Amino acid sequence: MDFVAIATLVLGLLLGAMTFLFIFRIVLTWYPQADLTRFPFNVIAVPTEPFLAPSRKIVSPIGGVDITPILWVAIFSFVREILLGQQGLLTMMLQGKSF
């Protein structure tokens, strides 16, 4: 296995997991009584909060709704598509195609 194949595998898993966590974080916003410091919820809150905290300073809630998790799902999906999609950079490198 070469570097590009390993990078494709690791990035695919990482970006997919982060997208999955942010989708769960969106669902958790529907339940404001959920304590994000307790066990089942902190598994979702701990990896996503470093992304959400700075972006909340830039994007304020719209109508009282925090849209930053939705923005991060879009960002991670876009990055995954650019790098690992059918015409993605790493996919093309893995197939040996020139840019």
Side-chain angles (χ1 to χ4, degrees), residues 3 7-8 21 27 30 37-38 44 48 53 59 62 67 90 98:
F3 175 74
T8 301
L21 288 173
V27 172
W30 300 338
T37 60
R38 307 232 24 205
I44 297 165
T48 58
V59 179
I62 298 174
I67 63 163
L90 290 176
S98 63

Side-chain angles (χ1 to χ4, degrees), residues 26-77:
I26 292 168
V27 172
L28 281 177
T29 61
W30 300 338
Y31 302 99
Q33 72 275 12
D35 184 11
L36 297 178
T37 60
R38 307 232 24 205
F39 169 61
F41 305 119
N42 68 353
V43 173
I44 297 165
V46 169
T48 58
E49 194 60 33
F51 294 96
L52 294 175
S55 58
R56 284 186 187 122
K57 294 176 184 173
I58 298 169
V59 179
S60 58
I62 298 174
V65 177
D66 182 18
I67 63 163
T68 54
I70 299 168
L71 295 175
W72 280 105
V73 167
I75 290 169
F76 277 113
S77 297

